[in-house]
PDB file of all heavy atoms in Angstrom:
ATOM      1  N   ILE U  23       0.828  -1.201   0.007  1.00  0.00           N
ATOM      2  CA  ILE U  23       0.080   0.028   0.050  1.00  0.00           C
ATOM      3  C   ILE U  23       0.887   1.208   0.027  1.00  0.00           C
ATOM      4  O   ILE U  23       2.060   1.237   0.495  1.00  0.00           O
ATOM      5  CB  ILE U  23      -0.948   0.068   1.200  1.00  0.00           C
ATOM      6  CG1 ILE U  23      -0.207  -0.001   2.506  1.00  0.00           C
ATOM      7  CG2 ILE U  23      -1.983  -1.061   1.119  1.00  0.00           C
ATOM      8  CD1 ILE U  23      -1.043   0.427   3.751  1.00  0.00           C
ATOM      9  N   GLY U  24       0.310   2.338  -0.483  1.00  0.00           N
ATOM     10  CA  GLY U  24       0.959   3.568  -0.443  1.00  0.00           C
ATOM     11  C   GLY U  24       2.341   3.635  -1.063  1.00  0.00           C
ATOM     12  O   GLY U  24       2.711   2.967  -2.034  1.00  0.00           O
ATOM     13  N   ASP U  25       3.255   4.260  -0.279  1.00  0.00           N
ATOM     14  CA  ASP U  25       4.524   4.477  -0.750  1.00  0.00           C
ATOM     15  C   ASP U  25       5.380   3.174  -0.839  1.00  0.00           C
ATOM     16  O   ASP U  25       6.423   3.119  -1.572  1.00  0.00           O
ATOM     17  CB  ASP U  25       5.394   5.433   0.218  1.00  0.00           C
ATOM     18  CG  ASP U  25       4.809   6.867   0.206  1.00  0.00           C
ATOM     19  OD1 ASP U  25       4.232   7.183  -0.791  1.00  0.00           O
ATOM     20  OD2 ASP U  25       5.119   7.592   1.151  1.00  0.00           O
ATOM     21  N   ALA U  26       5.024   2.080  -0.168  1.00  0.00           N
ATOM     22  CA  ALA U  26       5.680   0.927  -0.161  1.00  0.00           C
ATOM     23  C   ALA U  26       5.304   0.002  -1.334  1.00  0.00           C
ATOM     24  O   ALA U  26       5.907  -1.046  -1.522  1.00  0.00           O
ATOM     25  CB  ALA U  26       5.510   0.153   1.154  1.00  0.00           C
ATOM     26  N   THR U  27       4.256   0.338  -2.016  1.00  0.00           N
ATOM     27  CA  THR U  27       3.712  -0.574  -3.071  1.00  0.00           C
ATOM     28  C   THR U  27       4.723  -1.015  -4.049  1.00  0.00           C
ATOM     29  O   THR U  27       4.903  -2.263  -4.338  1.00  0.00           O
ATOM     30  CB  THR U  27       2.604   0.142  -3.893  1.00  0.00           C
ATOM     31  OG1 THR U  27       1.496   0.393  -2.907  1.00  0.00           O
ATOM     32  CG2 THR U  27       2.090  -0.706  -4.985  1.00  0.00           C
ATOM     33  N   TRP U  28       5.565  -0.102  -4.674  1.00  0.00           N
ATOM     34  CA  TRP U  28       6.398  -0.526  -5.736  1.00  0.00           C
ATOM     35  C   TRP U  28       7.616  -1.283  -5.226  1.00  0.00           C
ATOM     36  O   TRP U  28       8.111  -2.205  -5.973  1.00  0.00           O
ATOM     37  CB  TRP U  28       6.853   0.831  -6.470  1.00  0.00           C
ATOM     38  CG  TRP U  28       5.646   1.398  -6.992  1.00  0.00           C
ATOM     39  CD1 TRP U  28       4.987   2.627  -6.607  1.00  0.00           C
ATOM     40  CD2 TRP U  28       4.902   0.994  -8.191  1.00  0.00           C
ATOM     41  NE1 TRP U  28       3.923   2.888  -7.317  1.00  0.00           N
ATOM     42  CE2 TRP U  28       3.781   1.867  -8.328  1.00  0.00           C
ATOM     43  CE3 TRP U  28       4.957  -0.127  -8.960  1.00  0.00           C
ATOM     44  CZ2 TRP U  28       2.822   1.728  -9.394  1.00  0.00           C
ATOM     45  CZ3 TRP U  28       4.053  -0.250 -10.032  1.00  0.00           C
ATOM     46  CH2 TRP U  28       2.986   0.624 -10.208  1.00  0.00           C
ATOM     47  N   ALA U  29       8.016  -1.127  -4.060  1.00  0.00           N
ATOM     48  CA  ALA U  29       9.035  -1.942  -3.433  1.00  0.00           C
ATOM     49  C   ALA U  29       8.553  -3.412  -3.243  1.00  0.00           C
ATOM     50  O   ALA U  29       9.328  -4.371  -3.513  1.00  0.00           O
ATOM     51  CB  ALA U  29       9.552  -1.461  -2.130  1.00  0.00           C
ATOM     52  N   VAL U  30       7.396  -3.607  -2.804  1.00  0.00           N
ATOM     53  CA  VAL U  30       6.795  -4.865  -2.511  1.00  0.00           C
ATOM     54  C   VAL U  30       6.668  -5.533  -3.965  1.00  0.00           C
ATOM     55  O   VAL U  30       6.926  -6.798  -4.139  1.00  0.00           O
ATOM     56  CB  VAL U  30       5.402  -4.791  -1.846  1.00  0.00           C
ATOM     57  CG1 VAL U  30       4.744  -6.142  -1.798  1.00  0.00           C
ATOM     58  CG2 VAL U  30       5.665  -4.288  -0.396  1.00  0.00           C
ATOM     59  N   LEU U  31       6.107  -4.779  -4.937  1.00  0.00           N
ATOM     60  CA  LEU U  31       5.907  -5.403  -6.257  1.00  0.00           C
ATOM     61  C   LEU U  31       7.282  -5.788  -6.871  1.00  0.00           C
ATOM     62  O   LEU U  31       7.356  -6.921  -7.557  1.00  0.00           O
ATOM     63  CB  LEU U  31       5.176  -4.439  -7.124  1.00  0.00           C
ATOM     64  CG  LEU U  31       3.659  -4.544  -7.197  1.00  0.00           C
ATOM     65  CD1 LEU U  31       2.992  -4.420  -5.861  1.00  0.00           C
ATOM     66  CD2 LEU U  31       3.027  -3.544  -8.226  1.00  0.00           C
ATOM     67  N   ARG U  32       8.243  -5.002  -6.648  1.00  0.00           N
ATOM     68  CA  ARG U  32       9.572  -5.306  -7.253  1.00  0.00           C
ATOM     69  C   ARG U  32      10.119  -6.578  -6.609  1.00  0.00           C
ATOM     70  O   ARG U  32      10.620  -7.462  -7.341  1.00  0.00           O
ATOM     71  CB  ARG U  32      10.578  -4.143  -6.940  1.00  0.00           C
ATOM     72  CG  ARG U  32      11.838  -4.326  -7.744  1.00  0.00           C
ATOM     73  CD  ARG U  32      12.648  -2.970  -7.646  1.00  0.00           C
ATOM     74  NE  ARG U  32      11.915  -1.785  -8.204  1.00  0.00           N
ATOM     75  CZ  ARG U  32      11.290  -0.847  -7.415  1.00  0.00           C
ATOM     76  NH1 ARG U  32      11.405  -0.864  -6.149  1.00  0.00           N
ATOM     77  NH2 ARG U  32      10.730   0.176  -8.004  1.00  0.00           N
ATOM     78  N   ARG U  33       9.986  -6.785  -5.291  1.00  0.00           N
ATOM     79  CA  ARG U  33      10.401  -7.935  -4.708  1.00  0.00           C
ATOM     80  C   ARG U  33       9.630  -9.197  -5.207  1.00  0.00           C
ATOM     81  O   ARG U  33      10.120 -10.263  -5.545  1.00  0.00           O
ATOM     82  CB  ARG U  33      10.220  -7.963  -3.156  1.00  0.00           C
ATOM     83  CG  ARG U  33      10.665  -9.260  -2.467  1.00  0.00           C
ATOM     84  CD  ARG U  33      10.504  -9.286  -0.961  1.00  0.00           C
ATOM     85  NE  ARG U  33      10.993 -10.542  -0.458  1.00  0.00           N
ATOM     86  CZ  ARG U  33      10.225 -11.671  -0.386  1.00  0.00           C
ATOM     87  NH1 ARG U  33       9.047 -11.659  -0.755  1.00  0.00           N
ATOM     88  NH2 ARG U  33      10.808 -12.700   0.027  1.00  0.00           N
ATOM     89  N   ALA U  34       8.343  -9.094  -5.376  1.00  0.00           N
ATOM     90  CA  ALA U  34       7.457 -10.156  -5.980  1.00  0.00           C
ATOM     91  C   ALA U  34       7.962 -10.503  -7.371  1.00  0.00           C
ATOM     92  O   ALA U  34       8.040 -11.732  -7.668  1.00  0.00           O
ATOM     93  CB  ALA U  34       6.038  -9.814  -5.915  1.00  0.00           C
ATOM     94  N   ALA U  35       8.172  -9.539  -8.120  1.00  0.00           N
ATOM     95  CA  ALA U  35       8.607  -9.750  -9.484  1.00  0.00           C
ATOM     96  C   ALA U  35       9.891 -10.543  -9.575  1.00  0.00           C
ATOM     97  O   ALA U  35      10.105 -11.398 -10.394  1.00  0.00           O
ATOM     98  CB  ALA U  35       8.783  -8.339 -10.254  1.00  0.00           C
ATOM     99  N   VAL U  36      10.922 -10.133  -8.782  1.00  0.00           N
ATOM    100  CA  VAL U  36      12.187 -10.851  -8.656  1.00  0.00           C
ATOM    101  C   VAL U  36      11.941 -12.377  -8.432  1.00  0.00           C
ATOM    102  O   VAL U  36      12.644 -13.207  -9.028  1.00  0.00           O
ATOM    103  CB  VAL U  36      13.052 -10.254  -7.635  1.00  0.00           C
ATOM    104  CG1 VAL U  36      14.263 -11.094  -7.295  1.00  0.00           C
ATOM    105  CG2 VAL U  36      13.589  -8.890  -8.004  1.00  0.00           C
ATOM    106  N   ARG U  37      11.053 -12.604  -7.611  1.00  0.00           N
ATOM    107  CA  ARG U  37      10.750 -13.959  -7.139  1.00  0.00           C
ATOM    108  C   ARG U  37       9.721 -14.763  -8.077  1.00  0.00           C
ATOM    109  O   ARG U  37       9.417 -15.869  -7.758  1.00  0.00           O
ATOM    110  CB  ARG U  37      10.210 -13.997  -5.709  1.00  0.00           C
ATOM    111  CG  ARG U  37      11.343 -13.456  -4.765  1.00  0.00           C
ATOM    112  CD  ARG U  37      10.848 -13.280  -3.366  1.00  0.00           C
ATOM    113  NE  ARG U  37      10.611 -14.594  -2.769  1.00  0.00           N
ATOM    114  CZ  ARG U  37      11.563 -15.468  -2.350  1.00  0.00           C
ATOM    115  NH1 ARG U  37      12.825 -15.146  -2.574  1.00  0.00           N
ATOM    116  NH2 ARG U  37      11.234 -16.565  -1.814  1.00  0.00           N
ATOM    117  N   GLY U  38       9.297 -14.034  -9.116  1.00  0.00           N
ATOM    118  CA  GLY U  38       8.419 -14.631 -10.085  1.00  0.00           C
ATOM    119  C   GLY U  38       6.971 -14.855  -9.589  1.00  0.00           C
ATOM    120  O   GLY U  38       6.171 -15.660 -10.135  1.00  0.00           O
ATOM    121  N   HIS U  39       6.529 -14.027  -8.559  1.00  0.00           N
ATOM    122  CA  HIS U  39       5.144 -14.067  -8.109  1.00  0.00           C
ATOM    123  C   HIS U  39       4.251 -13.047  -8.874  1.00  0.00           C
ATOM    124  O   HIS U  39       4.698 -12.089  -9.507  1.00  0.00           O
ATOM    125  CB  HIS U  39       5.159 -13.707  -6.630  1.00  0.00           C
ATOM    126  CG  HIS U  39       5.888 -14.687  -5.771  1.00  0.00           C
ATOM    127  ND1 HIS U  39       5.869 -16.077  -5.934  1.00  0.00           N
ATOM    128  CD2 HIS U  39       6.691 -14.475  -4.763  1.00  0.00           C
ATOM    129  CE1 HIS U  39       6.584 -16.672  -5.016  1.00  0.00           C
ATOM    130  NE2 HIS U  39       7.172 -15.768  -4.300  1.00  0.00           N
ATOM    131  N   GLY U  40       2.945 -13.355  -8.767  1.00  0.00           N
ATOM    132  CA  GLY U  40       2.021 -12.369  -9.243  1.00  0.00           C
ATOM    133  C   GLY U  40       1.976 -11.144  -8.419  1.00  0.00           C
ATOM    134  O   GLY U  40       2.388 -11.097  -7.230  1.00  0.00           O
ATOM    135  N   VAL U  41       1.470 -10.017  -8.993  1.00  0.00           N
ATOM    136  CA  VAL U  41       1.183  -8.802  -8.274  1.00  0.00           C
ATOM    137  C   VAL U  41      -0.119  -8.225  -8.439  1.00  0.00           C
ATOM    138  O   VAL U  41      -0.760  -8.565  -9.397  1.00  0.00           O
ATOM    139  CB  VAL U  41       2.342  -7.797  -8.758  1.00  0.00           C
ATOM    140  CG1 VAL U  41       3.719  -8.279  -8.542  1.00  0.00           C
ATOM    141  CG2 VAL U  41       2.199  -7.375 -10.240  1.00  0.00           C
ATOM    142  N   ARG U  42      -0.457  -7.289  -7.536  1.00  0.00           N
ATOM    143  CA  ARG U  42      -1.738  -6.635  -7.602  1.00  0.00           C
ATOM    144  C   ARG U  42      -1.415  -5.115  -7.453  1.00  0.00           C
ATOM    145  O   ARG U  42      -0.623  -4.674  -6.623  1.00  0.00           O
ATOM    146  CB  ARG U  42      -2.668  -7.047  -6.459  1.00  0.00           C
ATOM    147  CG  ARG U  42      -4.034  -6.291  -6.580  1.00  0.00           C
ATOM    148  CD  ARG U  42      -4.942  -6.729  -5.422  1.00  0.00           C
ATOM    149  NE  ARG U  42      -5.221  -5.647  -4.538  1.00  0.00           N
ATOM    150  CZ  ARG U  42      -6.004  -5.727  -3.434  1.00  0.00           C
ATOM    151  NH1 ARG U  42      -6.529  -6.881  -3.111  1.00  0.00           N
ATOM    152  NH2 ARG U  42      -6.244  -4.722  -2.626  1.00  0.00           N
ATOM    153  N   VAL U  43      -2.156  -4.271  -8.246  1.00  0.00           N
ATOM    154  CA  VAL U  43      -2.021  -2.755  -8.112  1.00  0.00           C
ATOM    155  C   VAL U  43      -3.255  -2.127  -8.615  1.00  0.00           C
ATOM    156  O   VAL U  43      -4.063  -2.737  -9.328  1.00  0.00           O
ATOM    157  CB  VAL U  43      -0.768  -2.361  -8.969  1.00  0.00           C
ATOM    158  CG1 VAL U  43      -1.099  -2.400 -10.505  1.00  0.00           C
ATOM    159  CG2 VAL U  43      -0.353  -0.903  -8.592  1.00  0.00           C
ATOM    160  N   GLY U  44      -3.502  -0.946  -8.086  1.00  0.00           N
ATOM    161  CA  GLY U  44      -4.694  -0.203  -8.505  1.00  0.00           C
ATOM    162  C   GLY U  44      -4.859   0.936  -7.470  1.00  0.00           C
ATOM    163  O   GLY U  44      -4.148   1.060  -6.390  1.00  0.00           O
ATOM    164  N   LEU U  45      -5.841   1.775  -7.749  1.00  0.00           N
ATOM    165  CA  LEU U  45      -6.114   2.924  -6.872  1.00  0.00           C
ATOM    166  C   LEU U  45      -6.548   2.510  -5.437  1.00  0.00           C
ATOM    167  O   LEU U  45      -6.496   3.284  -4.538  1.00  0.00           O
ATOM    168  CB  LEU U  45      -7.121   3.841  -7.496  1.00  0.00           C
ATOM    169  CG  LEU U  45      -6.603   4.602  -8.805  1.00  0.00           C
ATOM    170  CD1 LEU U  45      -7.718   5.298  -9.419  1.00  0.00           C
ATOM    171  CD2 LEU U  45      -5.373   5.508  -8.426  1.00  0.00           C
ATOM    172  N   GLU U  46      -6.990   1.247  -5.344  1.00  0.00           N
ATOM    173  CA  GLU U  46      -7.228   0.740  -3.938  1.00  0.00           C
ATOM    174  C   GLU U  46      -6.084   0.649  -3.190  1.00  0.00           C
ATOM    175  O   GLU U  46      -6.220   0.825  -1.887  1.00  0.00           O
ATOM    176  CB  GLU U  46      -7.928  -0.629  -4.129  1.00  0.00           C
ATOM    177  CG  GLU U  46      -8.290  -1.197  -2.783  1.00  0.00           C
ATOM    178  CD  GLU U  46      -9.041  -2.532  -2.854  1.00  0.00           C
ATOM    179  OE1 GLU U  46      -9.461  -2.854  -3.952  1.00  0.00           O
ATOM    180  OE2 GLU U  46      -9.271  -3.128  -1.868  1.00  0.00           O
ATOM    181  N   ASP U  47      -4.912   0.482  -3.756  1.00  0.00           N
ATOM    182  CA  ASP U  47      -3.632   0.256  -2.985  1.00  0.00           C
ATOM    183  C   ASP U  47      -2.736   1.524  -3.018  1.00  0.00           C
ATOM    184  O   ASP U  47      -2.067   1.771  -1.967  1.00  0.00           O
ATOM    185  CB  ASP U  47      -2.905  -0.855  -3.558  1.00  0.00           C
ATOM    186  CG  ASP U  47      -3.731  -2.167  -3.706  1.00  0.00           C
ATOM    187  OD1 ASP U  47      -4.498  -2.399  -2.786  1.00  0.00           O
ATOM    188  OD2 ASP U  47      -3.564  -2.915  -4.626  1.00  0.00           O
ATOM    189  N   VAL U  48      -2.678   2.229  -4.116  1.00  0.00           N
ATOM    190  CA  VAL U  48      -1.619   3.306  -4.253  1.00  0.00           C
ATOM    191  C   VAL U  48      -2.138   4.264  -5.224  1.00  0.00           C
ATOM    192  O   VAL U  48      -2.842   4.023  -6.183  1.00  0.00           O
ATOM    193  CB  VAL U  48      -0.296   2.619  -4.755  1.00  0.00           C
ATOM    194  CG1 VAL U  48      -0.413   1.980  -6.195  1.00  0.00           C
ATOM    195  CG2 VAL U  48       0.889   3.705  -4.854  1.00  0.00           C
ATOM    196  N   LEU U  49      -1.723   5.565  -4.992  1.00  0.00           N
ATOM    197  CA  LEU U  49      -2.191   6.668  -5.829  1.00  0.00           C
ATOM    198  C   LEU U  49      -1.140   7.328  -6.624  1.00  0.00           C
ATOM    199  O   LEU U  49      -1.427   8.306  -7.337  1.00  0.00           O
ATOM    200  CB  LEU U  49      -2.877   7.783  -4.866  1.00  0.00           C
ATOM    201  CG  LEU U  49      -4.025   7.392  -3.959  1.00  0.00           C
ATOM    202  CD1 LEU U  49      -4.580   8.497  -3.133  1.00  0.00           C
ATOM    203  CD2 LEU U  49      -5.168   6.741  -4.844  1.00  0.00           C
ATOM    204  N   THR U  50       0.102   6.735  -6.504  1.00  0.00           N
ATOM    205  CA  THR U  50       1.267   7.338  -7.236  1.00  0.00           C
ATOM    206  C   THR U  50       1.937   6.310  -8.123  1.00  0.00           C
ATOM    207  O   THR U  50       2.002   5.120  -7.749  1.00  0.00           O
ATOM    208  CB  THR U  50       2.282   7.903  -6.322  1.00  0.00           C
ATOM    209  OG1 THR U  50       2.711   6.903  -5.416  1.00  0.00           O
ATOM    210  CG2 THR U  50       1.679   9.186  -5.589  1.00  0.00           C
ATOM    211  N   LEU U  51       2.525   6.730  -9.230  1.00  0.00           N
ATOM    212  CA  LEU U  51       3.273   5.864 -10.110  1.00  0.00           C
ATOM    213  C   LEU U  51       4.715   5.721  -9.472  1.00  0.00           C
ATOM    214  O   LEU U  51       5.088   6.370  -8.490  1.00  0.00           O
ATOM    215  CB  LEU U  51       3.335   6.561 -11.457  1.00  0.00           C
ATOM    216  CG  LEU U  51       1.980   6.639 -12.178  1.00  0.00           C
ATOM    217  CD1 LEU U  51       2.176   7.646 -13.375  1.00  0.00           C
ATOM    218  CD2 LEU U  51       1.543   5.254 -12.559  1.00  0.00           C
ATOM    219  N   PRO U  52       5.528   4.822 -10.025  1.00  0.00           N
ATOM    220  CA  PRO U  52       6.840   4.607  -9.464  1.00  0.00           C
ATOM    221  C   PRO U  52       7.706   5.788  -9.337  1.00  0.00           C
ATOM    222  O   PRO U  52       8.589   5.844  -8.400  1.00  0.00           O
ATOM    223  CB  PRO U  52       7.409   3.584 -10.406  1.00  0.00           C
ATOM    224  CG  PRO U  52       6.285   2.815 -10.939  1.00  0.00           C
ATOM    225  CD  PRO U  52       5.261   3.839 -11.164  1.00  0.00           C
ATOM    226  N   ASP U  53       7.556   6.799 -10.171  1.00  0.00           N
ATOM    227  CA  ASP U  53       8.381   8.015 -10.161  1.00  0.00           C
ATOM    228  C   ASP U  53       7.765   8.972  -9.172  1.00  0.00           C
ATOM    229  O   ASP U  53       8.361  10.170  -9.021  1.00  0.00           O
ATOM    230  CB  ASP U  53       8.541   8.562 -11.525  1.00  0.00           C
ATOM    231  CG  ASP U  53       7.219   9.116 -12.071  1.00  0.00           C
ATOM    232  OD1 ASP U  53       6.117   8.983 -11.412  1.00  0.00           O
ATOM    233  OD2 ASP U  53       7.192   9.555 -13.286  1.00  0.00           O
ATOM    234  N   GLY U  54       6.733   8.648  -8.475  1.00  0.00           N
ATOM    235  CA  GLY U  54       6.157   9.598  -7.392  1.00  0.00           C
ATOM    236  C   GLY U  54       5.083  10.519  -7.960  1.00  0.00           C
ATOM    237  O   GLY U  54       4.465  11.181  -7.133  1.00  0.00           O
ATOM    238  N   THR U  55       4.829  10.547  -9.282  1.00  0.00           N
ATOM    239  CA  THR U  55       3.810  11.361  -9.807  1.00  0.00           C
ATOM    240  C   THR U  55       2.397  10.786  -9.549  1.00  0.00           C
ATOM    241  O   THR U  55       2.301   9.583  -9.374  1.00  0.00           O
ATOM    242  CB  THR U  55       4.046  11.549 -11.255  1.00  0.00           C
ATOM    243  OG1 THR U  55       3.947  10.373 -11.939  1.00  0.00           O
ATOM    244  CG2 THR U  55       5.309  12.325 -11.520  1.00  0.00           C
ATOM    245  N   ASP U  56       1.404  11.550  -9.550  1.00  0.00           N
ATOM    246  CA  ASP U  56       0.068  11.138  -9.269  1.00  0.00           C
ATOM    247  C   ASP U  56      -0.397  10.188 -10.332  1.00  0.00           C
ATOM    248  O   ASP U  56      -0.248  10.424 -11.633  1.00  0.00           O
ATOM    249  CB  ASP U  56      -0.987  12.287  -9.178  1.00  0.00           C
ATOM    250  CG  ASP U  56      -0.667  13.136  -7.897  1.00  0.00           C
ATOM    251  OD1 ASP U  56      -0.091  12.625  -6.997  1.00  0.00           O
ATOM    252  OD2 ASP U  56      -1.273  14.314  -7.914  1.00  0.00           O
ATOM    253  N   ALA U  57      -1.052   9.127 -10.020  1.00  0.00           N
ATOM    254  CA  ALA U  57      -1.545   8.171 -11.071  1.00  0.00           C
ATOM    255  C   ALA U  57      -2.861   8.565 -11.507  1.00  0.00           C
ATOM    256  O   ALA U  57      -3.826   8.851 -10.624  1.00  0.00           O
ATOM    257  CB  ALA U  57      -1.711   6.760 -10.393  1.00  0.00           C
TER     258      ALA U  57
END
C-alpha cells in the first residue's frame, strides 16, 4: 500500500510471483507522480 507498493511489487517480480496494483492500493506511479 501507499509508498511501499512499488518496493513490494519489485520483490515479488524478482521472485516470479503475481502482483496486484490499483487505486485501491496506491495513488502514485513509481516515479512519485500522481496516478
Side-chain angles (χ1 to χ4, degrees):
I23 59 166
D25 292 342
T27 295
W28 299 103
V30 172
L31 266 57
R32 193 171 297 108
R33 178 181 184 273
V36 167
R37 298 175 66 74
H39 298 316
V41 300
R42 180 181 115 180
V43 72
L45 291 174
E46 180 172 347
D47 305 322
V48 60
L49 302 180
T50 55
L51 296 166
D53 64 2
T55 59
D56 291 344

